[in-house]
Amino acid sequence: MTQEYVTQIADFITRYLSYMLGAGVHTSRVVRNSKRIGDALGVDVHIHTSQKTASLTVCEKGTSVMNTRIVDIPAFPISFEWNADLSALSWAAYDGKLSLEEINKRFEALVSKPRMNPVFVLFMASLANASFCRLFGGDIWAMLVTFTATLIGFFTRQHLTRKGVNHYIVFIISAFVASLCASTALSLGLKTAEIAIATSALYLVPGVPLINGVIDITDGHIQIGISRLVNALMLIVCIAIGMSATLMLVKDSLL
């Protein structure tokens, strides 16, 4: 195995793990999958991760031929599809003893697949929030208000994200817009208006970072686990700020 080939393997695994970490996969799975691909290609893989960067060392088994990389972790949208597909790719590489060229070809095909239609995501997120409203005791009119408020708030989030606005600012504005729209339930005199307001911003709750942070800490990846929990806490604070602004505007209607 030549130094050039080890470098090519390091190039691929670096890109592979950056896509998985960027898409919100918990660290232990990323490490296992990357090591599995390394085993399939005859190399040892050593990884250290943090919130923004990851370091990777690839070395040929039984020799001193190695290559070390440090990569910035991109901020991709959360993708369960990439999680499943890229994990399956690592097993296909290991079980099928695929070549690096074939693994890279399949990887490119997976990450270049069209993403889910944003309009469909917008509709389904709004429908989910309306369902939560009903689950928490909201009536049909509160559900309709929640659906509409979420639709407007989520669209605002999508638009600001495409514009490259800081994601903390995006969360504050989106929470404010959604809850402000939901506050129309107060003007309509709905009995469950408070439930509509409370559930209108649930689509912003950072469930994946919270879960991944706990998993990372319990698996021994303390640094990135704490980083993810702190980031999730900051996002929750931003949601609270946005909704508090709405409550300050409509407090007389709530009393």
Side-chain angles (χ1 to χ4, degrees):
M1 188 178 295
T2 65
Q3 179 67 55
E4 181 182 0
Y5 186 60
V6 171
T7 300
Q8 291 174 355
I9 295 175
D11 286 339
F12 171 75
I13 297 181
T14 297
R15 189 158 181 246
Y16 175 87
L17 71 88
S18 69
Y19 269 70
M20 292 203 77
L21 287 172
V25 182
H26 66 84
T27 307
S28 294
R29 171 169 284 190
V30 176
V31 172
R32 287 197 305 268
N33 290 349
S34 300
K35 287 180 176 290
R36 191 178 298 125
I37 291 176
D39 287 338
L41 297 173
V43 297
D44 289 322
V45 177
H46 306 280
I47 299 171
H48 173 74
T49 59
S50 64
Q51 179 69 11
K52 292 292 186 179
T53 61
S55 60
L56 167 78
T57 297
V58 173
C59 56
E60 183 183 0
K61 294 180 182 292
T63 72
S64 59
V65 179
M66 65 177 61
N67 190 279
T68 299
R69 298 295 174 85
I70 297 177
V71 60
D72 291 328
I73 299 173
F76 293 121
I78 299 298
S79 176
F80 296 104
E81 186 176 11
W82 277 4
N83 187 340
D85 289 346
L86 294 178
S87 294
L89 175 61
S90 70
W91 279 112
Y94 184 81
D95 294 334
K97 302 300 180 185
L98 302 179
S99 66
L100 177 60
E101 182 180 1
E102 178 63 22
I103 296 172
N104 195 46
K105 181 179 178 181
R106 295 192 184 190
F107 173 81
E108 294 293 343
L110 290 175
V111 299
S112 60
K113 287 195 302 185
R115 299 188 67 83
M116 193 175 294
N117 189 309
V119 176
F120 176 75
V121 175
L122 177 65
F123 176 81
M124 293 306 295
S126 303
L127 186 61
N129 266 14
S131 300
F132 276 120
C133 178
R134 178 57 181 167
L135 184 65
F136 295 141
D139 57 29
I140 185 64
W141 299 110
M143 290 176 62
L144 290 174
V145 170
T146 301
F147 180 90
T148 305
T150 303
L151 195 73
I152 297 171
F154 200 99
F155 176 80
T156 301
R157 178 186 176 183
Q158 289 178 326
H159 178 72
L160 293 176
T161 301
R162 284 195 297 267
K163 293 292 184 180
V165 178
N166 180 278
H167 66 289
Y168 293 122
I169 302 299
V170 170
F171 267 60
I172 292 174
I173 295 175
S174 300
F176 173 70
V177 170
S179 57
L180 184 65
C181 292
S183 68
T184 57
L186 295 170
S187 302
L188 296 174
L190 301 184
K191 295 181 179 179
T192 55
E194 295 84 356
I195 297 175
I197 296 174
T199 55
S200 63
L202 284 180
Y203 68 94
L204 292 169
V205 174
V208 172
L210 285 169
I211 294 171
N212 284 347
V214 173
I215 292 175
D216 286 343
I217 290 174
T218 56
D219 285 342
H221 300 282
I222 307 298
Q223 182 181 2
I224 189 171
I226 292 175
S227 297
R228 282 175 161 169
L229 288 179
V230 170
N231 181 59
L233 177 62
M234 290 292 293
L235 294 177
I236 292 171
V237 170
C238 289
I239 296 171
I241 292 172
M243 297 189 72
S244 295
T246 294
L247 295 178
M248 290 295 292
L249 294 175
V250 302
K251 60 181 180 180
D252 291 337
S253 299
L254 288 170
L255 296 177

